[in-house]
Amino acid sequence: MQWETVIGLEIHTQLATQSKIFSGAPTAFGAEPNTQACAIDLGLPGVLPVLNAEVVRLAVRFAKAIQAEIAPRSVFARKNYFYPDLPKGYQISQYELPVVGKGQVEVVLEEGAVKTIGVTRAHLEEDAGKSLHEDFHGFTGIDLNRAGTPLLEIVSEPDMRSPQEAVAYAKKIHQIVRYIGISDGNMQEGSFRMDANVSVRPVGQEAFGTRTEIKNVNSFRFLEKAIQFEVERQIDVIEGGGSVVQETRLYDAAKDETRSMRTKEEANDYRYFPDPDLLPVEIDAAFIEEATADLPELPDAKRARFHTQYGLSEYDANLLTGSRDLADYFEAVAAASGEPKLAANWVSGELMAALNKAEKEIAQSPVSAPLLAGLIQRIKDGTISGKIAKQVFEAMWAGEGDADQVIESRGLKQITDTGAIEVMIEEIIAANPAQVEQYRAGKEKVFGFFVGQAMKASKGKANPQQVNEILKRKLQG
Amino acid sequence: MQNKSIAQLAADLRLRTYSSVELTKHYLERIARLDPGLNSFITVAEESALAAAARADQALKAGDAGPLTGIPIAHKDIFCTQGVKTTCGSRMLENFVAPYDATVVEKLAAAGAVVLGKTNMDEFAMGSSNETSYYGAVKNPWNPDLVPGGSSGGSAAAVAARLCAAATGTDTGGSIRQPAALCGITGIKPTYGRCSRWGMIAFASSLDQAGVMARSAADAAFVLDEMAGFDRRDSTSADVPVPDYVDALDNDLKGLRIGLPKEYFGEGLDAGVARSIQAAIDEYRRLGAEIVEISLPNSPLSVPVYYVVAPAECSSNLARFDGVRYGHRCAEPKDLEDLYKRSRAEGFGPEVRRRIMIGTYVLSAGYYDAYYLKAQKIRQLIADDFKRAFEQVDVIMGPTAPATAFPLGAKMDDPVSMYLNDIYTIATNLAGLPGISVPVAPVDGLPVGLQIIGNYFEEARLLNVAHMLQHVTHWHQAAPVGFE
């Protein structure tokens, strides 16, 4: 039987605020346990939450970025369950009336096709603390620094049909939240966590199969592998005569498998009800205007503009708009060098390779946009060849100065003096009579040998075009 | 001294007739001598009270004193007090000391009031007789075999027994007004949101409101003046200006329209109590008020609605008491579930457990719509009843409680009969309206309370209407035998 995969994602993205969603405690990552939790985060008796207005502003920016409805009135609700790292015994979230309603994003699939994925809703909520199971000799440690950290949970429609589509969607959301500055998207620090709802159904069947939920995946690679595993597992279960059990599963990256965490029967009844400590959030046009007035150009618009304005291929345009920093860098190089295509090649080629190798972000690049533009100008004006330019780039990366300084100090200036090149070529011809004979007998391949000799003799500095012309002339005798 | 009004005490302190330290010692001595028979205090904070009194004397000397400077009061043990333990009447918080003051505590301290201690209460404010307290029942100063009412029974008994000049209370379904009625004092529950709930341990967040228990409306006005007001730490506190309650006390009542809801005078009301209420209404008629019969048709539904909404909120509010971070923890838990179950089973008394179970039930999947959602809809209908009534009248009057104080133990095995004691007070909490209970003619030597309900934020009018009655009658001045 042919099976179709159906995937929906819930993405928890941490909002980039200074303080927590309902208290004034700081949200900085990596502090000593329990040093960034105040009485409110600890759920002491008598404390009350007060909404941090900044989180609403950030949610509104997201809504605008995915063309979603913004609820004029949304309500915080309590999700009740007991867990040691949940201090109040309930999580403040949004249930029936979330702040962000239906929206959508477009993803570019590998074949270049564009697919629209629906976003059902996005709601604000507080994060829980962290249970630490190691190093406590049979006890569990509780760190409440994370408790009360603001999250935006973004829930998609079940619109994805393959693990690759799911990853493309997740990357798109990741790109958007970073573009509009509402989250740092740092996956190692847990600022971007994904849950995948996965089911399979026979091709052509309309009704969804029973789904399982894979919790808390924090890398795109793991997301793809976890879904892939889960799809195969479900098909095996069904084809083996069994049926899929609705349950929550965890992905174990070390074993590359998912395993059951709890079934539907064991699931909590969260007893959601409106939080009586918080008033409904009312959002008017003026607030939306203020929150979104400085929204940057979004990835899709930027991609289209790069394509038309700079004449870049869809592939390059997509690559160079991957992050705002990268796009800004490219535009700076393109503007300063006046050579957008060369700029695109250098940024997506040499620079990206070097960054990947050094595991650096574009913002940490030792070669700044003006430096790279300077290099490109020297290629353009013929001072150096493209090949020599790679050497210059490496030197600039190592901190040896700008392109002109490197060219000067390393003596890499291209030799364009026709006389000097002629003398050099005459010497080569004189030293290799056998090869000259072969060439003249019609074996044109030998031409490459002479070019190689010439470049070797000039240490790569001879202008390649001039070398070609003079060689051809002299060899024909 | 203990029979003087707050205004008189404040005047004496200014004239140095006696110092705040002397006044505080006087009350501490009365507490030491008289409270063992009442059990109205859980904690007496002698040391910090005397220190506060000494500071008040400094301020009085410096001429830097407000109307409450140096006046000894008590706080219901539901308000968090930094450095003094806050038990909420529960074993769960037997040794809990909050690292912060409740806003109400902070404001009264800033006004110079001296805190004598923390008063007894029904556990987590759940009860109408003060018998659910882990620290033992409070006795009614008018008759030690009777209950003082609840849940602010300790504050009511302490004020009636002249163990403090005034006390704070909280009212979720009648917890200020009913004990005020049963102990013969004046108790005001302001509009929901009038006083901040920050630092006040939550029972039912959408109903809880802090208020004042005092011997007269005038005394209550002095205290409420300092307690009320917006607080950015409580999102549900009202950003509405606070008028001067003392200034409005003597306003003339001529032409005041008083509504008497027929539902408040029907079956279940004690005949003696009904006569006392009528006598008070007659006084108002003489003061120039106009009496109008009105109807609050949905009021019979208020008790069932309340016993869905309040337990629902409490089941969630009390989830934080899990034995993990503070509060009672069972000995040697086997595992996490055992820790939760035993800590909570041991830490909470039977009434609290009952309400947590009811609340959990009405919020659970499949029952939410039938109970919680429906209750919220009826709650709106109850509020609409009042809205219509206030188009016709300025205040609404009726009995605070259906009968005088009942014997200790009489209703402990019959929760429904206990719950019905709040039948006249609960609707105002559901609607968020202010209400005040004032003493009227006693029945068989026991106090009776007249309840006056006002429109939103009309505390000034309630205190004025109560004060004018106290101007022409002496019911509020009667003291229980042995506590004069």
Side-chain angles (χ1 to χ4, degrees):
Chain A
M1 189 179 295
Q2 287 286 78
W3 297 94
E4 183 179 45
T5 303
V6 177
I7 304 160
L9 292 186
E10 291 166 20
I11 297 175
H12 294 84
T13 185
Q14 179 178 330
L15 295 174
T17 56
Q18 295 294 309
S19 58
K20 293 185 175 175
I21 182 167
F22 299 119
S23 83
T27 52
F29 180 82
E32 283 292 300
N34 299 311
T35 55
Q36 306 210 39
C38 68
I40 295 170
D41 307 320
L42 263 54
L44 290 184
V47 302
L48 294 168
V50 175
L51 179 64
N52 178 350
E54 179 67 2
V55 303
V56 181
R57 195 181 75 86
L58 299 182
V60 164
R61 285 168 78 82
F62 179 74
K64 204 74 174 178
I66 63 160
Q67 296 129 48
E69 300 153 13
I70 296 165
R73 182 174 174 279
S74 67
V75 170
F76 282 99
R78 293 184 183 178
K79 180 180 182 179
N80 294 283
Y81 65 98
F82 285 98
Y83 204 68
D85 60 23
L86 187 71
K88 297 187 295 296
Y90 58 85
Q91 177 194 29
I92 306 176
S93 181
Q94 295 190 306
Y95 188 55
E96 281 180 333
L97 296 167
V99 59
V100 180
K102 272 192 184 308
Q104 61 187 56
V105 297
E106 283 185 354
V107 297
V108 180
L109 303 174
E110 258 175 56
E111 320 83 67
V114 173
K115 179 170 177 171
T116 301
I117 309 281
V119 171
T120 315
R121 57 182 282 171
H123 63 256
L124 291 164
E125 63 182 24
E126 58 178 343
D127 206 349
K130 219 163 74 181
S131 294
L132 309 162
H133 298 290
E134 294 98 26
D135 306 330
F136 291 96
H137 313 287
F139 288 86
T140 297
I142 308 288
D143 178 5
L144 295 176
N145 282 354
R146 261 204 105 83
T149 298
L151 302 177
L152 186 67
E153 177 172 338
I154 303 156
V155 182
S156 83
E157 291 287 315
D159 284 349
M160 290 149 278
R161 295 291 173 266
S162 71
Q164 293 73 31
E165 281 186 29
V167 170
Y169 165 78
K171 282 186 169 167
K172 186 66 180 198
I173 296 291
H174 189 247
Q175 185 187 38
I176 290 172
V177 298
R178 290 173 38 144
Y179 253 79
I180 62 176
I182 67 166
S183 174
D184 65 15
N186 189 319
M187 300 179 92
Q188 279 79 43
E189 295 177 3
S191 299
F192 196 86
R193 314 193 293 261
M194 298 162 285
D195 301 340
N197 285 293
V198 180
S199 65
V200 297
R201 63 182 170 190
V203 169
Q205 178 183 306
E206 195 149 327
F208 292 131
T210 303
R211 67 186 159 86
T212 61
E213 183 178 20
I214 310 165
K215 277 273 184 207
N216 247 333
V217 185
N218 67 351
S219 95
F220 297 125
R221 198 164 59 92
F222 291 165
L223 180 68
E224 183 168 349
K225 293 176 85 172
I227 295 172
Q228 190 62 52
F229 175 89
E230 185 55 20
V231 167
E232 285 164 16
R233 189 191 68 85
Q234 289 187 10
I235 293 170
D236 284 351
V237 167
I238 299 167
E239 288 184 342
S243 50
V244 174
V245 179
Q246 187 176 337
E247 63 185 353
T248 304
R249 299 179 70 87
L250 269 186
Y251 177 67
D252 182 336
K255 293 186 179 151
D256 186 23
E257 62 176 32
T258 66
R259 57 170 184 266
S260 181
M261 203 168 121
R262 57 173 180 263
T263 62
K264 192 186 172 191
E265 283 69 36
E266 298 165 314
N268 284 304
D269 176 355
Y270 291 122
R271 293 170 282 122
Y272 280 101
F273 75 106
D275 191 329
D277 288 334
L278 290 160
L279 302 176
V281 180
E282 281 171 6
I283 298 174
D284 58 18
F287 183 88
I288 296 171
E289 175 56 34
E290 207 178 310
T292 57
D294 66 338
L295 267 185
E297 184 181 28
L298 291 163
D300 288 343
K302 206 182 272 283
R303 195 183 72 224
R305 181 168 64 80
F306 278 20
H307 183 58
T308 52
Q309 182 179 340
Y310 300 119
L312 305 185
S313 69
E314 279 287 355
Y315 178 84
D316 279 348
N318 192 43
L319 189 79
L320 291 172
T321 51
S323 80
R324 237 170 109 182
D325 284 348
L326 182 63
D328 289 349
Y329 184 101
F330 159 73
E331 290 210 271
V333 177
S337 67
E339 288 289 308
K341 282 195 177 161
L342 263 181
N345 288 343
W346 273 88
V347 174
S348 64
E350 217 65 23
L351 179 73
M352 292 277 267
L355 288 170
N356 285 342
K357 199 173 153 202
E359 292 182 355
K360 278 188 187 333
E361 294 291 323
I362 184 84
Q364 306 161 307
S365 172
V367 177
S368 67
L371 280 183
L372 187 58
L375 177 65
I376 289 169
Q377 274 172 332
R378 291 299 157 263
I379 302 170
K380 192 173 77 175
D381 67 17
T383 308
I384 51 172
S385 68
K387 204 165 168 192
I388 288 294
K390 289 182 184 178
Q391 271 186 56
V392 178
F393 178 84
E394 276 169 29
M396 293 197 309
W397 182 273
E400 291 180 25
D402 65 20
D404 288 337
Q405 288 164 333
V406 172
I407 292 166
E408 179 64 35
S409 67
R410 293 200 171 190
L412 295 175
K413 196 165 178 204
Q414 192 157 252
I415 299 164
T416 51
D417 176 347
T418 312
I421 297 174
E422 280 191 9
V423 169
M424 181 180 75
I425 285 175
E426 276 163 12
E427 282 170 8
I428 292 168
I429 289 175
N432 297 285
Q435 279 80 358
V436 174
E437 204 59 35
Q438 284 174 5
Y439 181 81
R440 287 186 178 153
K443 203 173 175 191
E444 293 198 0
K445 267 175 144 183
V446 186
F447 188 74
F449 165 79
F450 289 104
V451 172
Q453 291 298 309
M455 295 317 278
K456 195 173 159 192
S458 70
K459 299 199 177 74
K461 290 186 288 185
N463 181 312
Q465 245 171 331
Q466 285 173 305
V467 168
N468 276 355
E469 279 167 22
I470 294 167
L471 256 177
K472 258 186 196 146
R473 188 153 39 84
K474 300 263 176 198
L475 281 171
Q476 276 157 11
Chain B
M1 280 193 250
Q2 70 274 10
N3 286 311
K4 292 191 173 181
S5 69
I6 288 179
Q8 287 167 326
L9 292 173
D12 289 351
L13 288 171
R14 268 178 186 66
L15 293 170
R16 303 279 194 277
T17 311
Y18 39 83
S19 68
S20 174
V21 168
E22 283 166 328
L23 182 63
T24 301
K25 281 184 172 159
H26 173 73
Y27 276 115
L28 288 170
E29 181 279 320
R30 282 182 68 81
I31 293 169
R33 182 159 49 85
L34 298 169
D35 200 46
L38 293 177
N39 196 29
S40 68
F41 279 84
I42 291 175
T43 303
V44 178
E46 186 171 340
E47 207 174 303
S48 61
L50 288 171
R55 281 197 302 277
D57 284 331
Q58 291 290 327
L60 284 158
K61 241 176 240 162
D64 180 22
L68 288 188
T69 302
I71 305 291
I73 62 162
H75 284 304
K76 185 178 183 179
D77 208 15
I78 199 168
F79 292 100
C80 287
T81 44
Q82 195 171 357
V84 175
K85 62 182 181 164
T86 300
T87 69
C88 220
S90 181
R91 183 185 184 193
M92 184 57 86
L93 293 177
E94 195 170 3
N95 298 306
F96 177 72
V97 180
Y100 43 81
D101 278 335
T103 298
V104 161
V105 171
E106 198 177 86
K107 290 183 88 145
L108 289 173
V114 171
V115 179
L116 295 167
K118 311 288 292 286
T119 57
N120 205 340
M121 56 182 284
D122 278 300
E123 186 179 9
F124 284 101
M126 298 176 200
S128 307
S129 67
N130 220 300
E131 292 168 287
T132 71
S133 170
Y134 176 68
Y135 304 91
V138 177
K139 309 218 165 70
N140 192 317
W142 294 87
N143 179 342
D145 297 330
L146 305 182
V147 302
S151 67
S152 311
S155 287
V159 170
R162 278 95 173 127
L163 304 183
C164 53
T168 54
T170 61
D171 191 315
T172 305
S175 280
I176 287 175
R177 292 159 289 158
Q178 185 256 15
L182 269 46
C183 288
I185 63 164
T186 302
I188 181 166
K189 174 205 107 70
T191 308
Y192 180 78
R194 179 76 292 183
C195 298
S196 168
R197 292 189 296 116
W198 169 263
M200 187 175 112
I201 298 178
F203 160 17
S205 313
S206 74
L207 301 162
D208 296 344
Q209 179 56 214
V212 190
M213 313 188 72
R215 289 204 318 282
S216 68
D219 284 0
F222 278 103
V223 181
L224 191 60
D225 262 340
E226 304 297 339
M227 273 169 65
F230 175 67
D231 178 8
R232 61 177 66 250
R233 290 176 296 186
D234 174 5
S235 307
T236 63
S237 83
D239 198 358
V240 174
V242 182
D244 189 318
Y245 298 124
V246 175
D247 269 3
L249 285 172
D250 292 309
N251 290 352
D252 196 274
L253 298 190
K254 229 166 237 120
L256 180 81
R257 295 168 303 167
I258 299 173
L260 302 183
K262 59 177 191 226
E263 293 81 5
Y264 285 17
F265 293 90
E267 206 188 328
L269 177 62
D270 176 86
V273 170
R275 278 194 297 276
S276 290
I277 299 300
Q278 275 310 331
I281 305 284
D282 289 343
E283 290 291 342
Y284 279 111
R285 209 176 262 125
R286 281 194 278 279
L287 286 167
E290 179 194 330
I291 312 299
V292 185
E293 187 179 284
I294 59 163
S295 174
L296 301 169
N298 291 293
S299 61
L301 295 171
S302 56
V303 173
V305 165
Y306 177 86
Y307 279 97
V308 171
V309 174
E313 293 182 13
C314 107
S315 71
S316 176
N317 281 334
L318 271 59
R320 67 189 61 200
F321 303 106
D322 56 6
V324 173
R325 285 146 293 123
Y326 53 82
H328 179 76
R329 177 186 287 187
C330 68
E332 294 177 32
K334 280 202 304 284
D335 53 27
L336 182 61
E337 191 158 324
D338 187 44
L339 169 79
Y340 284 151
K341 283 183 174 167
R342 280 201 292 130
S343 298
R344 288 168 65 80
E346 293 165 9
F348 293 138
E351 183 61 27
V352 172
R353 293 204 299 268
R354 173 166 27 236
R355 296 199 196 188
I356 290 173
M357 283 189 275
I358 294 170
T360 303
Y361 180 80
V362 300
L363 287 177
S364 55
Y367 298 100
Y368 180 87
D369 289 2
Y371 290 103
Y372 184 79
L373 210 57
K374 189 171 225 170
Q376 290 292 14
K377 285 178 185 161
I378 300 172
R379 185 175 179 178
Q380 188 56 52
L381 296 178
I382 290 168
D384 292 345
D385 280 357
F386 282 108
K387 197 178 166 205
R388 272 191 298 275
F390 283 118
E391 285 164 8
Q392 276 182 273
V393 300
D394 301 311
V395 294
I396 293 168
M397 288 189 189
T400 304
T404 55
F406 48 90
L408 284 155
K411 297 182 191 240
M412 280 305 271
D413 297 328
D414 186 357
V416 173
S417 146
M418 184 77 90
Y419 296 169
L420 286 172
N421 226 264
D422 293 329
I423 190 159
Y424 304 128
T425 48
I426 276 177
T428 58
N429 296 83
L430 291 170
L433 292 164
I436 189 168
S437 180
V438 289
V440 293
V443 172
D444 301 330
L446 292 174
V448 172
L450 166 74
Q451 179 176 218
I452 312 168
I453 301 166
N455 212 338
Y456 297 104
F457 301 105
E458 296 216 333
E459 290 80 9
R461 192 201 288 269
L462 289 187
L463 290 161
N464 163 226
V465 171
H467 178 70
M468 291 313 279
L469 180 71
Q470 294 177 341
H471 204 62
V472 296
T473 63
H474 300 283
W475 296 315
H476 66 291
Q477 285 169 351
V481 175
F483 298 96
E484 307 89 339

